[in-house]
Amino acid sequence: MKIHDVPGFPNPLRVRIALAEKGLTDQVQFVNVDLPGAEHKDPAFLAKNPTGTVPVLELEDGLFISECTAITEYVDNLDGNPVLTGKTPREKAVIHMMQKRAESELIDPIGDYFHHATPGLGPQLQAHKSPDWAGREDFGRRRRVKAEAGMRYFDGVLRDQPYVAGDQFSMADITVLEGLVFAGYAEIPVPGDCTALAAWRGRVEQRPSVQAA
Ligand SMILES: N[C@@H](CCC(=O)N[C@@H](CS)C(=O)NCC(=O)O)C(=O)O
């Protein structure tokens, strides 16, 4: 297996944590993509992933799989013991729901803020991410407000249960964690009263998979 990504970036980290949780990191060859240089917007990369984002998993038979959720499902099921994405229909549905919320309430609005209301990843990539249009900074700032509401939502969830989708660590925790990592890049602080979210983050950051990634 190959993973095309950029070490340290939020979405690549999701997959690197999943690989480490499954003990598969050693079986992967990582291929670095020049993101600030917009290599992922070149035709050669778009042929691998038409959305022009990393990470991308490349299988031995030449199939390319993008989207962190799809890649995580693939690696989680290789050993027939899907601990990150759920074993029963109920577990699968709850994990799917919560991880989707982590994308729509955290990662997506943080990305919109970062790419529209800040210099983002620099001028070369900015041309692809947010060409000049009236009101884009205002849009970005509104999305930041949504991201802050998302942090409060997950703080509420974690007041009642140890992990984002219930009693077990799952793909949903990985997505929320990487949302907070992305918020750090974008300089959106976690509100000080989100104490349950902060305590949960302290715990999951101690996991060997997170430390390794
Ligand atoms: N929904 C995608 C998001 C991937 C994504 O946005 N990755 C970022 C890196 S953290 C990226 O490639 N950004 C560059 C861009 O959007 O131009 C996934 O789950 O893989």
Side-chain angles (χ1 to χ4, degrees):
M1 288 190 280
K2 285 185 190 168
I3 298 272
H4 302 258
D5 78 353
V6 188
F9 271 62
N11 285 290
L13 274 173
R14 291 164 69 182
V15 164
R16 286 176 179 241
I17 292 172
L19 287 166
E21 285 283 336
K22 300 297 291 186
L24 289 171
T25 308
D26 291 350
Q27 296 182 34
V28 174
Q29 183 191 339
F30 291 94
V31 181
N32 197 61
V33 179
D34 175 14
L35 215 78
E39 183 191 342
H40 57 306
K41 305 301 180 192
D42 287 346
F45 188 89
L46 293 174
K48 301 179 178 75
N49 176 11
T51 62
T53 57
V54 291
V56 177
L57 168 67
E58 180 178 353
L59 299 183
E60 306 298 328
D61 65 4
L63 180 68
F64 292 102
I65 298 178
S66 55
E67 295 302 321
C68 292
T69 47
I71 299 170
T72 302
E73 280 188 12
Y74 179 82
V75 300
D76 195 27
N77 280 282
L78 283 176
D79 62 0
N81 182 32
V83 288
L84 296 175
T85 55
K87 295 178 186 166
T88 66
R90 190 178 194 280
E91 281 175 9
K92 283 179 195 290
V94 173
I95 292 168
H96 184 129
M97 174 179 75
M98 296 307 285
Q99 103 76 36
K100 179 63 186 168
R101 283 183 192 166
E103 289 184 342
S104 61
E105 308 306 309
L106 279 180
I107 292 182
D108 294 350
I110 292 165
D112 288 337
Y113 170 74
F114 183 63
H115 292 296
H116 293 282
T118 82
L121 289 173
Q124 232 175 317
L125 188 57
Q126 206 58 19
H128 295 272
K129 296 305 295 182
S130 102
D132 234 2
W133 51 276
R136 73 182 172 93
E137 287 184 18
D138 187 43
F139 165 75
R141 282 190 292 270
R142 284 165 193 259
R143 296 292 280 165
R144 176 183 172 139
V145 172
K146 181 169 174 75
E148 286 160 349
M151 291 173 184
R152 291 191 188 286
Y153 166 72
F154 285 108
D155 180 64
V157 168
L158 291 160
R159 285 184 190 275
D160 295 336
Q161 58 192 40
Y163 294 104
V164 172
D167 292 335
Q168 307 290 332
F169 181 84
S170 75
M171 173 166 68
D173 293 279
I174 297 175
T175 312
V176 173
L177 181 62
E178 295 323 315
L180 297 185
V181 170
F182 196 7
Y185 278 120
E187 299 184 3
I188 305 176
V190 177
D193 57 351
C194 288
T195 53
L197 186 61
W200 162 89
R201 183 177 187 171
R203 273 188 293 117
V204 295
E205 282 184 342
Q206 295 309 310
R207 293 179 78 84
S209 63
V210 178
Q211 299 267 323

mmCIF file of all heavy atoms in Angstrom, residues 136-179:
data_model
loop_
_atom_site.group_PDB
_atom_site.id
_atom_site.type_symbol
_atom_site.label_atom_id
_atom_site.label_comp_id
_atom_site.label_asym_id
_atom_site.label_seq_id
_atom_site.Cartn_x
_atom_site.Cartn_y
_atom_site.Cartn_z
ATOM 1 N N ARG A 136 -15.865 37.132 0.557
ATOM 2 C CA ARG A 136 -15.325 35.832 0.946
ATOM 3 C C ARG A 136 -14.771 35.844 2.377
ATOM 4 O O ARG A 136 -14.887 34.869 3.095
ATOM 5 C CB ARG A 136 -14.277 35.343 -0.048
ATOM 6 C CG ARG A 136 -12.956 36.052 0.008
ATOM 7 C CD ARG A 136 -12.003 35.523 -1.049
ATOM 8 N NE ARG A 136 -10.815 36.338 -1.108
ATOM 9 C CZ ARG A 136 -9.713 36.075 -0.417
ATOM 10 N NH1 ARG A 136 -9.648 35.024 0.353
ATOM 11 N NH2 ARG A 136 -8.670 36.870 -0.513
ATOM 12 N N GLU A 137 -14.198 37.002 2.778
ATOM 13 C CA GLU A 137 -13.661 37.060 4.152
ATOM 14 C C GLU A 137 -14.790 37.035 5.165
ATOM 15 O O GLU A 137 -14.689 36.404 6.223
ATOM 16 C CB GLU A 137 -12.802 38.300 4.325
ATOM 17 C CG GLU A 137 -11.478 38.159 3.601
ATOM 18 C CD GLU A 137 -10.543 39.326 3.811
ATOM 19 O OE1 GLU A 137 -10.752 40.093 4.769
ATOM 20 O OE2 GLU A 137 -9.620 39.466 2.994
ATOM 21 N N ASP A 138 -15.892 37.696 4.819
ATOM 22 C CA ASP A 138 -17.051 37.691 5.711
ATOM 23 C C ASP A 138 -17.613 36.264 5.828
ATOM 24 O O ASP A 138 -17.910 35.783 6.925
ATOM 25 C CB ASP A 138 -18.117 38.639 5.151
ATOM 26 C CG ASP A 138 -19.275 38.807 6.105
ATOM 27 O OD1 ASP A 138 -19.006 38.959 7.318
ATOM 28 O OD2 ASP A 138 -20.427 38.745 5.658
ATOM 29 N N PHE A 139 -17.676 35.576 4.694
ATOM 30 C CA PHE A 139 -18.106 34.173 4.699
ATOM 31 C C PHE A 139 -17.189 33.355 5.623
ATOM 32 O O PHE A 139 -17.649 32.578 6.457
ATOM 33 C CB PHE A 139 -18.064 33.618 3.265
ATOM 34 C CG PHE A 139 -18.123 32.129 3.171
ATOM 35 C CD1 PHE A 139 -19.320 31.443 3.382
ATOM 36 C CD2 PHE A 139 -16.983 31.386 2.870
ATOM 37 C CE1 PHE A 139 -19.367 30.057 3.309
ATOM 38 C CE2 PHE A 139 -17.025 30.006 2.794
ATOM 39 C CZ PHE A 139 -18.223 29.331 3.015
ATOM 40 N N GLY A 140 -15.877 33.563 5.461
ATOM 41 C CA GLY A 140 -14.919 32.821 6.278
ATOM 42 C C GLY A 140 -15.137 33.078 7.761
ATOM 43 O O GLY A 140 -15.127 32.144 8.573
ATOM 44 N N ARG A 141 -15.385 34.339 8.114
ATOM 45 C CA ARG A 141 -15.574 34.663 9.532
ATOM 46 C C ARG A 141 -16.866 34.054 10.078
ATOM 47 O O ARG A 141 -16.917 33.602 11.218
ATOM 48 C CB ARG A 141 -15.558 36.183 9.736
ATOM 49 C CG ARG A 141 -14.141 36.758 9.720
ATOM 50 C CD ARG A 141 -14.115 38.212 10.169
ATOM 51 N NE ARG A 141 -14.779 39.069 9.197
ATOM 52 C CZ ARG A 141 -14.147 39.654 8.178
ATOM 53 N NH1 ARG A 141 -12.857 39.493 8.025
ATOM 54 N NH2 ARG A 141 -14.798 40.416 7.331
ATOM 55 N N ARG A 142 -17.894 34.002 9.244
ATOM 56 C CA ARG A 142 -19.137 33.340 9.683
ATOM 57 C C ARG A 142 -18.907 31.857 9.923
ATOM 58 O O ARG A 142 -19.466 31.257 10.839
ATOM 59 C CB ARG A 142 -20.239 33.497 8.627
ATOM 60 C CG ARG A 142 -20.849 34.876 8.604
ATOM 61 C CD ARG A 142 -21.657 35.052 7.315
ATOM 62 N NE ARG A 142 -21.988 36.448 7.142
ATOM 63 C CZ ARG A 142 -23.176 36.979 7.435
ATOM 64 N NH1 ARG A 142 -24.129 36.227 7.914
ATOM 65 N NH2 ARG A 142 -23.400 38.259 7.250
ATOM 66 N N ARG A 143 -18.100 31.260 9.071
ATOM 67 C CA ARG A 143 -17.804 29.823 9.227
ATOM 68 C C ARG A 143 -16.996 29.568 10.501
ATOM 69 O O ARG A 143 -17.113 28.518 11.116
ATOM 70 C CB ARG A 143 -17.071 29.325 7.991
ATOM 71 C CG ARG A 143 -17.918 29.402 6.735
ATOM 72 C CD ARG A 143 -19.059 28.424 6.778
ATOM 73 N NE ARG A 143 -18.599 27.079 6.434
ATOM 74 C CZ ARG A 143 -19.292 25.966 6.662
ATOM 75 N NH1 ARG A 143 -20.480 26.029 7.234
ATOM 76 N NH2 ARG A 143 -18.803 24.799 6.319
ATOM 77 N N ARG A 144 -16.193 30.546 10.909
ATOM 78 C CA ARG A 144 -15.457 30.404 12.170
ATOM 79 C C ARG A 144 -16.440 30.337 13.353
ATOM 80 O O ARG A 144 -16.259 29.543 14.283
ATOM 81 C CB ARG A 144 -14.499 31.586 12.333
ATOM 82 C CG ARG A 144 -13.778 31.555 13.652
ATOM 83 C CD ARG A 144 -12.881 32.770 13.822
ATOM 84 N NE ARG A 144 -12.365 32.779 15.188
ATOM 85 C CZ ARG A 144 -11.135 33.089 15.526
ATOM 86 N NH1 ARG A 144 -10.284 33.453 14.611
ATOM 87 N NH2 ARG A 144 -10.747 33.066 16.778
ATOM 88 N N VAL A 145 -17.485 31.151 13.279
ATOM 89 C CA VAL A 145 -18.498 31.120 14.342
ATOM 90 C C VAL A 145 -19.148 29.734 14.396
ATOM 91 O O VAL A 145 -19.382 29.170 15.472
ATOM 92 C CB VAL A 145 -19.560 32.228 14.107
ATOM 93 C CG1 VAL A 145 -20.723 32.091 15.077
ATOM 94 C CG2 VAL A 145 -18.917 33.603 14.210
ATOM 95 N N LYS A 146 -19.384 29.146 13.225
ATOM 96 C CA LYS A 146 -19.969 27.798 13.196
ATOM 97 C C LYS A 146 -18.998 26.782 13.813
ATOM 98 O O LYS A 146 -19.410 25.888 14.554
ATOM 99 C CB LYS A 146 -20.316 27.392 11.766
ATOM 100 C CG LYS A 146 -20.956 26.005 11.692
ATOM 101 C CD LYS A 146 -21.537 25.718 10.322
ATOM 102 C CE LYS A 146 -22.054 24.290 10.199
ATOM 103 N NZ LYS A 146 -23.321 24.030 10.871
ATOM 104 N N ALA A 147 -17.719 26.933 13.504
ATOM 105 C CA ALA A 147 -16.729 25.995 14.068
ATOM 106 C C ALA A 147 -16.696 26.094 15.596
ATOM 107 O O ALA A 147 -16.591 25.073 16.292
ATOM 108 C CB ALA A 147 -15.345 26.284 13.486
ATOM 109 N N GLU A 148 -16.827 27.321 16.106
ATOM 110 C CA GLU A 148 -16.828 27.485 17.573
ATOM 111 C C GLU A 148 -18.072 26.824 18.176
ATOM 112 O O GLU A 148 -17.993 26.187 19.232
ATOM 113 C CB GLU A 148 -16.740 28.971 17.936
ATOM 114 C CG GLU A 148 -15.330 29.516 17.695
ATOM 115 C CD GLU A 148 -15.237 31.036 17.570
ATOM 116 O OE1 GLU A 148 -16.301 31.703 17.464
ATOM 117 O OE2 GLU A 148 -14.110 31.548 17.531
ATOM 118 N N ALA A 149 -19.195 26.933 17.467
ATOM 119 C CA ALA A 149 -20.410 26.248 17.944
ATOM 120 C C ALA A 149 -20.206 24.727 17.904
ATOM 121 O O ALA A 149 -20.670 23.998 18.782
ATOM 122 C CB ALA A 149 -21.608 26.658 17.076
ATOM 123 N N GLY A 150 -19.487 24.259 16.892
ATOM 124 C CA GLY A 150 -19.182 22.827 16.797
ATOM 125 C C GLY A 150 -18.350 22.356 17.985
ATOM 126 O O GLY A 150 -18.582 21.273 18.531
ATOM 127 N N MET A 151 -17.396 23.178 18.404
ATOM 128 C CA MET A 151 -16.587 22.813 19.587
ATOM 129 C C MET A 151 -17.486 22.684 20.813
ATOM 130 O O MET A 151 -17.357 21.752 21.605
ATOM 131 C CB MET A 151 -15.509 23.872 19.830
ATOM 132 C CG MET A 151 -14.424 23.876 18.767
ATOM 133 S SD MET A 151 -13.318 25.279 19.031
ATOM 134 C CE MET A 151 -12.232 25.119 17.618
ATOM 135 N N ARG A 152 -18.422 23.613 20.946
ATOM 136 C CA ARG A 152 -19.339 23.556 22.108
ATOM 137 C C ARG A 152 -20.234 22.319 22.010
ATOM 138 O O ARG A 152 -20.545 21.684 23.022
ATOM 139 C CB ARG A 152 -20.188 24.821 22.181
ATOM 140 C CG ARG A 152 -19.367 26.039 22.542
ATOM 141 C CD ARG A 152 -20.253 27.239 22.880
ATOM 142 N NE ARG A 152 -19.429 28.424 23.041
ATOM 143 C CZ ARG A 152 -18.655 28.672 24.091
ATOM 144 N NH1 ARG A 152 -18.627 27.819 25.090
ATOM 145 N NH2 ARG A 152 -17.925 29.761 24.152
ATOM 146 N N TYR A 153 -20.650 21.984 20.792
ATOM 147 C CA TYR A 153 -21.478 20.779 20.620
ATOM 148 C C TYR A 153 -20.709 19.542 21.103
ATOM 149 O O TYR A 153 -21.220 18.743 21.895
ATOM 150 C CB TYR A 153 -21.902 20.611 19.151
ATOM 151 C CG TYR A 153 -22.444 19.226 18.906
ATOM 152 C CD1 TYR A 153 -23.689 18.856 19.403
ATOM 153 C CD2 TYR A 153 -21.686 18.264 18.239
ATOM 154 C CE1 TYR A 153 -24.162 17.559 19.242
ATOM 155 C CE2 TYR A 153 -22.154 16.978 18.074
ATOM 156 C CZ TYR A 153 -23.389 16.629 18.577
ATOM 157 O OH TYR A 153 -23.853 15.352 18.437
ATOM 158 N N PHE A 154 -19.472 19.379 20.654
ATOM 159 C CA PHE A 154 -18.719 18.176 21.050
ATOM 160 C C PHE A 154 -18.347 18.216 22.532
ATOM 161 O O PHE A 154 -18.277 17.171 23.185
ATOM 162 C CB PHE A 154 -17.491 17.974 20.152
ATOM 163 C CG PHE A 154 -17.880 17.446 18.805
ATOM 164 C CD1 PHE A 154 -17.829 18.251 17.681
ATOM 165 C CD2 PHE A 154 -18.361 16.150 18.671
ATOM 166 C CE1 PHE A 154 -18.243 17.767 16.444
ATOM 167 C CE2 PHE A 154 -18.773 15.656 17.447
ATOM 168 C CZ PHE A 154 -18.711 16.467 16.327
ATOM 169 N N ASP A 155 -18.171 19.408 23.079
ATOM 170 C CA ASP A 155 -17.951 19.501 24.527
ATOM 171 C C ASP A 155 -19.164 18.930 25.265
ATOM 172 O O ASP A 155 -19.017 18.157 26.225
ATOM 173 C CB ASP A 155 -17.735 20.968 24.912
ATOM 174 C CG ASP A 155 -17.490 21.130 26.400
ATOM 175 O OD1 ASP A 155 -16.463 20.602 26.878
ATOM 176 O OD2 ASP A 155 -18.330 21.749 27.081
ATOM 177 N N GLY A 156 -20.362 19.272 24.790
ATOM 178 C CA GLY A 156 -21.591 18.740 25.420
ATOM 179 C C GLY A 156 -21.667 17.223 25.305
ATOM 180 O O GLY A 156 -22.014 16.527 26.257
ATOM 181 N N VAL A 157 -21.331 16.706 24.130
ATOM 182 C CA VAL A 157 -21.347 15.245 23.925
ATOM 183 C C VAL A 157 -20.407 14.570 24.928
ATOM 184 O O VAL A 157 -20.755 13.564 25.563
ATOM 185 C CB VAL A 157 -20.912 14.906 22.472
ATOM 186 C CG1 VAL A 157 -20.630 13.417 22.314
ATOM 187 C CG2 VAL A 157 -21.967 15.372 21.471
ATOM 188 N N LEU A 158 -19.234 15.158 25.100
ATOM 189 C CA LEU A 158 -18.199 14.514 25.922
ATOM 190 C C LEU A 158 -18.406 14.750 27.419
ATOM 191 O O LEU A 158 -17.685 14.188 28.239
ATOM 192 C CB LEU A 158 -16.811 14.981 25.460
ATOM 193 C CG LEU A 158 -16.467 14.416 24.066
ATOM 194 C CD1 LEU A 158 -15.358 15.222 23.396
ATOM 195 C CD2 LEU A 158 -16.074 12.941 24.169
ATOM 196 N N ARG A 159 -19.415 15.531 27.772
ATOM 197 C CA ARG A 159 -19.795 15.626 29.194
ATOM 198 C C ARG A 159 -20.549 14.370 29.609
ATOM 199 O O ARG A 159 -20.597 14.026 30.789
ATOM 200 C CB ARG A 159 -20.668 16.863 29.444
ATOM 201 C CG ARG A 159 -19.850 18.121 29.419
ATOM 202 C CD ARG A 159 -20.592 19.396 29.737
ATOM 203 N NE ARG A 159 -19.682 20.491 29.414
ATOM 204 C CZ ARG A 159 -18.757 20.971 30.226
ATOM 205 N NH1 ARG A 159 -18.629 20.504 31.431
ATOM 206 N NH2 ARG A 159 -17.951 21.944 29.820
ATOM 207 N N ASP A 160 -21.151 13.687 28.637
ATOM 208 C CA ASP A 160 -22.018 12.544 28.951
ATOM 209 C C ASP A 160 -21.399 11.197 28.655
ATOM 210 O O ASP A 160 -21.944 10.170 29.039
ATOM 211 C CB ASP A 160 -23.326 12.643 28.134
ATOM 212 C CG ASP A 160 -24.137 13.845 28.544
ATOM 213 O OD1 ASP A 160 -23.957 14.305 29.688
ATOM 214 O OD2 ASP A 160 -24.924 14.339 27.719
ATOM 215 N N GLN A 161 -20.326 11.156 27.887
ATOM 216 C CA GLN A 161 -19.748 9.867 27.497
ATOM 217 C C GLN A 161 -18.252 10.042 27.259
ATOM 218 O O GLN A 161 -17.790 11.138 26.934
ATOM 219 C CB GLN A 161 -20.454 9.319 26.238
ATOM 220 C CG GLN A 161 -20.389 10.243 25.048
ATOM 221 C CD GLN A 161 -21.332 9.829 23.920
ATOM 222 O OE1 GLN A 161 -22.461 9.409 24.157
ATOM 223 N NE2 GLN A 161 -20.867 9.942 22.688
ATOM 224 N N PRO A 162 -17.458 8.946 27.402
ATOM 225 C CA PRO A 162 -16.003 9.097 27.331
ATOM 226 C C PRO A 162 -15.465 9.373 25.930
ATOM 227 O O PRO A 162 -14.415 9.999 25.784
ATOM 228 C CB PRO A 162 -15.474 7.760 27.857
ATOM 229 C CG PRO A 162 -16.598 6.788 27.728
ATOM 230 C CD PRO A 162 -17.864 7.587 27.817
ATOM 231 N N TYR A 163 -16.165 8.898 24.912
ATOM 232 C CA TYR A 163 -15.675 9.079 23.541
ATOM 233 C C TYR A 163 -16.795 9.655 22.670
ATOM 234 O O TYR A 163 -17.969 9.602 23.023
ATOM 235 C CB TYR A 163 -15.158 7.750 22.978
ATOM 236 C CG TYR A 163 -13.934 7.264 23.715
ATOM 237 C CD1 TYR A 163 -14.019 6.215 24.637
ATOM 238 C CD2 TYR A 163 -12.696 7.888 23.533
ATOM 239 C CE1 TYR A 163 -12.902 5.792 25.345
ATOM 240 C CE2 TYR A 163 -11.571 7.473 24.240
ATOM 241 C CZ TYR A 163 -11.677 6.427 25.139
ATOM 242 O OH TYR A 163 -10.574 6.029 25.851
ATOM 243 N N VAL A 164 -16.415 10.146 21.515
ATOM 244 C CA VAL A 164 -17.349 10.903 20.672
ATOM 245 C C VAL A 164 -18.557 10.062 20.243
ATOM 246 O O VAL A 164 -19.676 10.563 20.169
ATOM 247 C CB VAL A 164 -16.593 11.478 19.444
ATOM 248 C CG1 VAL A 164 -17.546 12.104 18.441
ATOM 249 C CG2 VAL A 164 -15.540 12.493 19.904
ATOM 250 N N ALA A 165 -18.340 8.778 19.989
ATOM 251 C CA ALA A 165 -19.464 7.934 19.560
ATOM 252 C C ALA A 165 -19.917 6.976 20.666
ATOM 253 O O ALA A 165 -20.643 6.031 20.390
ATOM 254 C CB ALA A 165 -19.088 7.161 18.298
ATOM 255 N N GLY A 166 -19.496 7.204 21.898
ATOM 256 C CA GLY A 166 -19.965 6.344 22.992
ATOM 257 C C GLY A 166 -18.838 5.913 23.911
ATOM 258 O O GLY A 166 -18.034 6.735 24.350
ATOM 259 N N ASP A 167 -18.788 4.595 24.179
ATOM 260 C CA ASP A 167 -17.841 4.085 25.184
ATOM 261 C C ASP A 167 -16.478 3.712 24.620
ATOM 262 O O ASP A 167 -15.561 3.415 25.384
ATOM 263 C CB ASP A 167 -18.432 2.828 25.865
ATOM 264 C CG ASP A 167 -19.630 3.200 26.714
ATOM 265 O OD1 ASP A 167 -19.697 4.371 27.153
ATOM 266 O OD2 ASP A 167 -20.505 2.340 26.917
ATOM 267 N N GLN A 168 -16.370 3.639 23.293
ATOM 268 C CA GLN A 168 -15.122 3.179 22.678
ATOM 269 C C GLN A 168 -14.518 4.264 21.790
ATOM 270 O O GLN A 168 -15.247 4.984 21.105
ATOM 271 C CB GLN A 168 -15.379 1.950 21.766
ATOM 272 C CG GLN A 168 -16.111 0.803 22.416
ATOM 273 C CD GLN A 168 -15.252 0.098 23.450
ATOM 274 O OE1 GLN A 168 -14.020 0.103 23.343
ATOM 275 N NE2 GLN A 168 -15.874 -0.477 24.459
ATOM 276 N N PHE A 169 -13.192 4.299 21.765
ATOM 277 C CA PHE A 169 -12.471 5.150 20.808
ATOM 278 C C PHE A 169 -12.813 4.687 19.393
ATOM 279 O O PHE A 169 -12.859 3.477 19.134
ATOM 280 C CB PHE A 169 -10.965 5.005 21.051
ATOM 281 C CG PHE A 169 -10.115 5.847 20.141
ATOM 282 C CD1 PHE A 169 -9.854 7.180 20.436
ATOM 283 C CD2 PHE A 169 -9.557 5.298 18.998
ATOM 284 C CE1 PHE A 169 -9.054 7.956 19.602
ATOM 285 C CE2 PHE A 169 -8.759 6.068 18.147
ATOM 286 C CZ PHE A 169 -8.510 7.395 18.456
ATOM 287 N N SER A 170 -13.053 5.627 18.484
ATOM 288 C CA SER A 170 -13.450 5.255 17.113
ATOM 289 C C SER A 170 -12.956 6.306 16.117
ATOM 290 O O SER A 170 -12.343 7.317 16.486
ATOM 291 C CB SER A 170 -14.983 5.156 17.014
ATOM 292 O OG SER A 170 -15.542 6.458 16.997
ATOM 293 N N MET A 171 -13.309 6.054 14.858
ATOM 294 C CA MET A 171 -12.995 7.008 13.785
ATOM 295 C C MET A 171 -13.562 8.404 14.099
ATOM 296 O O MET A 171 -12.982 9.417 13.695
ATOM 297 C CB MET A 171 -13.585 6.473 12.473
ATOM 298 C CG MET A 171 -13.495 7.423 11.306
ATOM 299 S SD MET A 171 -13.819 6.640 9.713
ATOM 300 C CE MET A 171 -15.556 6.231 9.833
ATOM 301 N N ALA A 172 -14.677 8.462 14.816
ATOM 302 C CA ALA A 172 -15.271 9.771 15.146
ATOM 303 C C ALA A 172 -14.333 10.577 16.048
ATOM 304 O O ALA A 172 -14.230 11.804 15.912
ATOM 305 C CB ALA A 172 -16.632 9.573 15.807
ATOM 306 N N ASP A 173 -13.641 9.891 16.976
ATOM 307 C CA ASP A 173 -12.679 10.605 17.831
ATOM 308 C C ASP A 173 -11.523 11.139 16.994
ATOM 309 O O ASP A 173 -11.044 12.258 17.213
ATOM 310 C CB ASP A 173 -12.132 9.646 18.904
ATOM 311 C CG ASP A 173 -13.198 9.243 19.885
ATOM 312 O OD1 ASP A 173 -13.464 10.022 20.806
ATOM 313 O OD2 ASP A 173 -13.804 8.169 19.689
ATOM 314 N N ILE A 174 -11.073 10.323 16.038
ATOM 315 C CA ILE A 174 -9.953 10.751 15.190
ATOM 316 C C ILE A 174 -10.356 12.018 14.429
ATOM 317 O O ILE A 174 -9.585 12.977 14.339
ATOM 318 C CB ILE A 174 -9.551 9.622 14.206
ATOM 319 C CG1 ILE A 174 -9.060 8.391 14.984
ATOM 320 C CG2 ILE A 174 -8.473 10.113 13.249
ATOM 321 C CD1 ILE A 174 -8.740 7.171 14.108
ATOM 322 N N THR A 175 -11.587 12.052 13.921
ATOM 323 C CA THR A 175 -12.023 13.212 13.130
ATOM 324 C C THR A 175 -12.133 14.470 14.001
ATOM 325 O O THR A 175 -11.708 15.552 13.599
ATOM 326 C CB THR A 175 -13.354 12.910 12.418
ATOM 327 O OG1 THR A 175 -13.260 11.645 11.763
ATOM 328 C CG2 THR A 175 -13.681 13.975 11.384
ATOM 329 N N VAL A 176 -12.693 14.320 15.206
ATOM 330 C CA VAL A 176 -12.793 15.503 16.086
ATOM 331 C C VAL A 176 -11.390 15.979 16.467
ATOM 332 O O VAL A 176 -11.104 17.185 16.441
ATOM 333 C CB VAL A 176 -13.626 15.195 17.345
ATOM 334 C CG1 VAL A 176 -13.561 16.372 18.329
ATOM 335 C CG2 VAL A 176 -15.082 14.915 16.979
ATOM 336 N N LEU A 177 -10.514 15.040 16.797
ATOM 337 C CA LEU A 177 -9.154 15.432 17.190
ATOM 338 C C LEU A 177 -8.481 16.221 16.069
ATOM 339 O O LEU A 177 -7.883 17.283 16.302
ATOM 340 C CB LEU A 177 -8.328 14.191 17.544
ATOM 341 C CG LEU A 177 -6.901 14.477 17.994
ATOM 342 C CD1 LEU A 177 -6.878 15.317 19.271
ATOM 343 C CD2 LEU A 177 -6.128 13.172 18.210
ATOM 344 N N GLU A 178 -8.614 15.729 14.848
ATOM 345 C CA GLU A 178 -7.969 16.433 13.750
ATOM 346 C C GLU A 178 -8.650 17.766 13.449
ATOM 347 O O GLU A 178 -8.007 18.698 12.979
ATOM 348 C CB GLU A 178 -7.864 15.548 12.510
ATOM 349 C CG GLU A 178 -6.950 14.353 12.748
ATOM 350 C CD GLU A 178 -5.723 14.673 13.630
ATOM 351 O OE1 GLU A 178 -5.051 15.698 13.448
ATOM 352 O OE2 GLU A 178 -5.462 13.874 14.547
ATOM 353 N N GLY A 179 -9.950 17.858 13.757
ATOM 354 C CA GLY A 179 -10.616 19.165 13.676
ATOM 355 C C GLY A 179 -9.941 20.162 14.614
ATOM 356 O O GLY A 179 -9.694 21.318 14.245
#
